[in-house]
Amino acid sequence: MRDPAGGRVFFSSVRRSLEVEDEIRLLSVGVDIGSSTSHLAFSRLVLERLDNRYVVAERSIVYESAVLLTPYADDMTIDALELGCFIRRQYALAGIEPSAIDTGALILTGVAVRRHNARAIGELFASQAGKFVSVSAGDALETTLAAYGSGAVARSIRDGVRVMNVDIGGGTSKIAVCEAGAVVDLTAIDVGARIVAFDDEGRVRRIEEAGRRFASEAGLVLELGERVDPAGLQRMVEIMADRLFEAMNGAAASAGTSRLLRLAPLAPGRGPDVVTFSGGVSEYVYRRESSSYGDLGAALAEAVLRRVDAWGPRIASPDEGIRATVVGASQYTVQVSGGTIFVAPADTLPLRNVPVVVPGLPLDDEVLDADSIADATRRSLCRLELDDGSRAVAICYRWRGSATFGRLDAFCRGLLAGLAPLIDGGLPLILVGDGDVGGLVGIHCCEELRVPNPVVSIDGISVAEFDFIDIGALLETSGAVPVVVKSLVFPASSALGRPPEAGAHAERSATLGTAPA
């Protein structure tokens, strides 16, 4: 059944099939544009209904692209033209049209995300890569995806052990501690194989800021176009390995290591039982690669391996090495709403890059107070500086108690009053619940309160404040929608170490929704 405005009404959808709605099949893409390499992976996901939400029941890789050394222009920006050609070619080789993609994520990582054209490149490729692909950039999200894509999270369940996955890339290293099927701690540090790059004749062709810092500490002079003293270069690699190992072992970090951390350090406590490595440098750790690509990869792998061997945890092979992050991006970023949702009009979707607000709403009492709900909503918008009505926000609520008419009415009236600047500005009303009342809430706003704005009311989604979400178009057979919870944190500069505190919080919280079981 449809309303006159074209919205989907509770328990109804175009071509919805009750026979197949308990299972959803999605084609997902992960695109990883990293400091050293760029590549894609396509996956098929099978989601099954569990109570009021869908969970991923099966994942399979359809196609893994070739690995491209991330191209840089002379001014050290990412070469968008060459990257675009590469991505289009991989779609063609996979035999997949961008229009066939249901969901996925494009991840800019490591040093690549610090280029001043990174945001524009991410948004350009996301719009071209498929009809619903999110753009993500952030150390915590990348660390989490590598932990899932490498198999470290699954190993922590399968073997009943505490697993540390160390993803060593070109510009940064990401460390995730996994236990009982979850990432329980993580950090990231500016140590990578390509912070100094060389040409075929051994001359320096690129130096990142971290490379200059490590070289100075090693008493090594790095100049573009010049050859480097091998002994000095080895001293530099040993210092890099020391810094990375300090970040891994949970001990109090030295001042030098603390300055390189991009996230809060690991909490002190019990060390891992097993260590796995992923990222480009892992190919040298496990002797799968012997060729040189004009960087520090092979030497850094050997130096780190010596330290972990002496540390004691067992070293195990990951399910994915260099491709861990891209596999994680293609398989672990999506959630799917419950079927009891409301969207009016239907062409309101998809929505992208919507900030999540979680007001402390008083929903425990049997009789709800609309004024208190409005005040809590206003305070949250003001605290996050989202109260000027310039952009849509997603209000996340935790429904408790019965869904009687009176309670629904007070709840909806309070939200609308608190969101008055956004409603008056014609922005869509976007509500995200964790229960199964999304459809009822949306219907009440439209049909009882006559909200003139577009209304999107979904449920069965786990989000937290500082998250951003993309909400995709309705899935025809189930009436559900795909949702990607992500981080949109782009560093303001190429400075080393942790980003501003607000950004750090945003990245940390974005990991909460990346991997529904």
Side-chain angles (χ1 to χ4, degrees):
M1 189 171 72
R2 286 202 170 254
D3 68 8
R8 192 190 74 75
V9 180
F10 198 53
F11 290 128
S12 177
S13 176
V14 175
R15 290 194 288 277
R16 183 169 181 178
S17 168
L18 292 176
E19 181 180 356
V20 300
E21 70 173 19
D22 283 343
E23 182 177 277
I24 298 174
R25 295 177 179 269
L26 303 177
L27 180 60
S28 176
V29 63
V31 184
D32 182 0
I33 301 175
S35 312
S36 296
T37 59
S38 297
H39 43 152
L40 294 74
F42 299 91
S43 296
R44 291 204 181 276
L45 309 179
V46 178
L47 297 96
E48 295 180 352
R49 183 189 291 276
L50 178 65
D51 297 327
N52 68 309
R53 66 182 68 200
Y54 288 91
V55 297
V56 178
E58 182 182 330
R59 302 177 174 90
S60 59
I61 296 174
V62 175
Y63 176 82
E64 292 181 317
S65 79
V67 178
L68 173 75
L69 284 176
T70 300
Y72 292 93
D74 290 340
D75 62 353
M76 300 310 297
T77 58
I78 301 169
D79 189 330
L81 181 61
E82 187 174 344
L83 265 179
C85 290
F86 170 74
I87 289 176
R88 287 191 294 272
R89 186 165 62 251
Q90 299 309 314
Y91 267 80
L93 290 172
I96 294 173
E97 292 292 329
S99 60
I101 298 297
D102 296 301
T103 186
L106 184 149
I107 313 290
L108 291 117
T109 60
V111 172
V113 76
R114 302 178 205 166
R115 305 303 177 191
H116 67 74
N117 65 336
R119 182 192 299 269
I121 284 175
E123 292 173 353
L124 170 66
F125 286 151
S127 67
Q128 294 178 347
K131 64 185 178 184
F132 183 53
V133 178
S134 72
V135 181
S136 299
D139 298 303
L141 180 57
E142 184 189 354
T143 305
T144 302
L145 293 180
Y148 277 92
S150 69
V153 173
R155 184 188 297 272
S156 72
I157 299 177
R158 183 179 66 245
D159 298 346
V161 293
R162 185 176 172 92
V163 183
M164 175 179 286
N165 187 68
V166 185
D167 188 274
I168 310 177
T172 58
S173 294
K174 284 73 59 180
I175 305 164
V177 180
C178 311
E179 196 165 17
V183 176
V184 297
D185 202 0
L186 53 79
T187 193
I189 186 170
D190 277 305
V191 173
R194 217 165 176 80
I195 57 175
V196 181
F198 307 92
D199 62 20
D200 293 340
E201 297 180 356
R203 294 184 174 89
V204 177
R205 59 178 297 190
R206 191 169 81 239
I207 311 170
E208 303 295 344
E209 186 57 36
R212 296 187 186 280
R213 178 178 292 185
F214 280 117
S216 175
E217 194 171 350
L220 177 67
V221 177
L222 293 177
E223 298 289 346
L224 290 175
E226 299 294 327
R227 288 189 172 87
V228 179
D229 169 46
L233 194 62
Q234 186 60 41
R235 289 196 305 273
M236 175 177 160
V237 168
E238 297 295 335
I239 293 171
M240 292 167 60
D242 284 339
R243 297 284 181 262
L244 175 55
F245 184 68
E246 253 190 74
M248 292 167 56
N249 66 20
S254 65
T257 298
S258 295
R259 284 193 296 269
L260 295 167
L261 289 175
R262 299 192 55 76
L263 297 172
L266 297 180
R270 181 166 69 89
D273 305 304
V274 175
V275 174
T276 60
F277 292 92
S278 61
V281 174
S282 73
E283 302 300 298
Y284 295 104
V285 170
Y286 298 105
R287 309 290 193 266
R288 293 190 289 253
E289 181 61 75
S290 58
S291 301
S292 173
Y293 293 93
D295 57 32
L296 307 175
L300 182 58
E302 290 296 329
V304 172
L305 197 55
R306 289 197 306 273
R307 287 158 176 78
V308 177
D309 277 335
W311 189 20
R314 177 169 61 89
I315 298 174
S317 295
D319 295 343
E320 296 284 345
I322 192 172
R323 301 178 190 272
T325 301
V326 76
V327 168
S330 71
Q331 295 189 357
Y332 293 96
T333 52
V334 66
Q335 296 187 55
V336 173
S337 74
T340 55
I341 68 176
F342 182 88
V343 180
D347 62 5
T348 303
L349 299 178
L351 293 169
R352 299 180 186 273
N353 308 336
V354 181
V356 174
V357 178
V358 187
L361 300 177
L363 301 180
D364 289 318
D365 296 335
E366 183 59 31
V367 178
L368 299 183
D369 181 32
D371 290 338
S372 296
I373 291 171
D375 288 342
T377 304
R378 291 190 198 98
R379 287 196 301 272
S380 289
L381 292 177
C382 183
R383 174 169 49 83
L384 298 175
E385 299 182 350
L386 294 169
D387 57 340
D388 60 357
S390 63
R391 67 179 302 179
V393 302
I395 297 294
C396 175
Y397 62 93
R398 325 288 195 205
W399 184 263
R400 290 185 285 273
S402 60
T404 62
F405 181 91
R407 297 184 92 243
L408 284 171
D409 190 63
F411 173 67
C412 294
R413 289 181 185 277
L415 282 182
L416 293 175
L419 294 169
L422 286 70
I423 300 299
D424 293 344
L427 294 169
L429 173 64
I430 306 170
L431 305 175
V432 181
D434 63 350
D436 57 359
V437 298
L440 291 173
V441 169
I443 289 173
H444 196 93
C445 289
C446 267
E447 299 194 359
E448 296 294 335
L449 303 182
R450 301 295 179 184
V451 174
N453 306 52
V455 175
V456 176
S457 181
I458 65 176
D459 56 32
I461 298 295
S462 297
V463 290
E465 199 151 84
F466 298 112
D467 284 350
F468 289 79
I469 59 172
D470 287 354
I471 307 174
L474 288 163
L475 300 170
E476 293 178 346
T477 58
S478 68
V481 294
V483 178
V484 171
V485 183
K486 63 184 185 176
S487 164
L488 281 176
V489 178
F490 286 83
S493 73
S494 60
L496 298 178
R498 274 176 264 180
E501 198 62 26
H505 284 308
E507 291 178 6
R508 188 68 176 89
S509 63
T511 67
L512 298 177
T514 57

